[in-house]
Amino acid sequence: MRKLWVCCASLAYRSAFIEQARQLPFHQDWSQQEVERRLTEQIPDLVPGVLRRIVEAAALAAYHAESGHVRLLVCDDAKQFKLVADELALCWVHDGRHYQSMARACRSIVNG
């Protein structure tokens, strides 16, 4: 459950929402509908967009609590992957782009 609060904090939720959500019991398996119902009961002024993001953070926290979650993900550097795995690595195509821009910068410095 600690992972959920880390996810919520990293997604910049108001601390008041986080504190209200902490009042919910944890270490229980709930369906998405049950999580949404409990959150809207606990935090009545929660807007739908924030509710969706908290539910997503809860899903990520539950995923990370499993022993078989992905530890290293090789992908591009899109922001939607940042919370999926413990570590991210760029595939060679996306990693190479950084070297191309460095090479252009170095050539312009050398050629002055």
Side-chain angles (χ1 to χ4, degrees), residues 4 6 18 23 25 38 58 66 74-75 81 84 98-99 109 111:
L4 170 61
V6 171
I18 295 172
Q23 305 304 315
R38 288 177 179 253
E66 296 292 322
V74 177
C75 59
F81 297 123
V84 173
H98 297 289
Y99 295 107
I109 292 170
N111 295 335

Side-chain angles (χ1 to χ4, degrees), residues 30-70:
W30 294 337
S31 67
Q32 179 178 343
Q33 292 78 18
E34 181 69 12
V35 171
E36 290 174 358
R37 184 186 66 75
R38 288 177 179 253
L39 281 169
T40 52
E41 286 175 359
Q42 185 73 25
I43 313 168
D45 57 337
L46 196 58
V47 295
V50 174
L51 172 65
R52 189 189 87 248
R53 301 234 7 223
I54 291 175
V55 170
E56 288 172 2
L60 275 170
Y63 170 71
H64 280 273
E66 296 292 322
S67 61
H69 79 274
V70 174

